């Protein structure tokens, strides 16, 4: 991919509401919405380092872009990408996130994606 490498996405989520808004439980293996102004293509491979809540250790996750909210999207939605966690993560990131969100995933609050 000449010129296609955008480096590592760093995402730090320190509160449960922000995590709920970013998490995409409807995606196979789970995924996260990442605010960014960089341009990505659907299906593009990305690598993330996640910092969750008070944890000092960052979770490395490889994934691919499955959702794009462009700059200027209707409804004042945050622009960014939805990244589906890859199989090689073996559910590690998803399990951690769902542990933090236990109980909240049944809520009917809006998120950045659906």
């Amino acid at each position: 991919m000449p010129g296609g490498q955008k480096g590592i996405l760093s995402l730090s989520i320190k509160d449960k509401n922000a995590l709920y808004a970013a998490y995409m439980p409807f995606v196979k293996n789970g995924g996260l919405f990442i605010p960014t102004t960089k341009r990505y293509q659907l299906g593009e491979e990305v690598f993330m380092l996640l910092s969750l809540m008070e944890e000092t250790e960052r979770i490395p996750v490889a994934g691919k872009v499955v959702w794009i909210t462009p700059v200027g999207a209707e409804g004042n939605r945050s622009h960014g990408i939805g990244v589906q966690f890859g199989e090689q993560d073996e559910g590690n990131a998803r399990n951690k996130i769902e542990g933090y969100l236990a109980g909240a995933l049944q809520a009917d609050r809006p998120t950045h994606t659906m």
Side-chain angles (χ1 to χ4, degrees):
M1 282 187 291
Q5 183 57 287
K6 294 185 180 66
I8 295 171
L9 290 162
S10 273
L11 187 64
S12 181
I13 300 178
K14 297 296 180 202
D15 92 36
K16 214 179 210 178
N17 289 332
L19 185 58
Y20 175 85
Y23 185 54
M24 303 190 320
F26 53 86
V27 171
K28 181 177 185 265
N29 302 328
L32 279 176
F33 178 82
I34 301 173
T36 180
T37 52
K38 291 183 182 153
R39 295 177 68 96
Y40 288 86
Q41 303 296 318
L42 286 174
E44 190 171 333
E45 300 281 323
V46 293
F47 188 77
M48 304 175 278
L49 285 173
L50 300 179
S51 298
L52 297 176
M53 305 307 164
E54 301 304 312
E55 291 185 22
T56 51
E57 193 179 323
R58 299 200 297 180
I59 308 164
V61 192
K64 72 176 182 194
V65 178
V66 294
W67 179 287
I68 298 174
T69 304
V71 174
E74 62 186 66
N76 287 331
R77 288 193 172 273
S78 298
H79 46 268
I81 57 172
V83 176
Q84 176 184 23
F85 301 148
E87 299 281 344
Q88 61 272 45
D89 180 51
E90 295 177 348
N92 187 16
R94 175 181 205 145
N95 293 341
K96 238 182 215 310
I97 290 168
E98 290 186 355
Y100 281 121
L101 295 180
L105 290 176
Q106 309 317 316
D108 205 17
R109 300 196 314 261
T111 69
H112 288 306
T113 51
M114 307 265 289

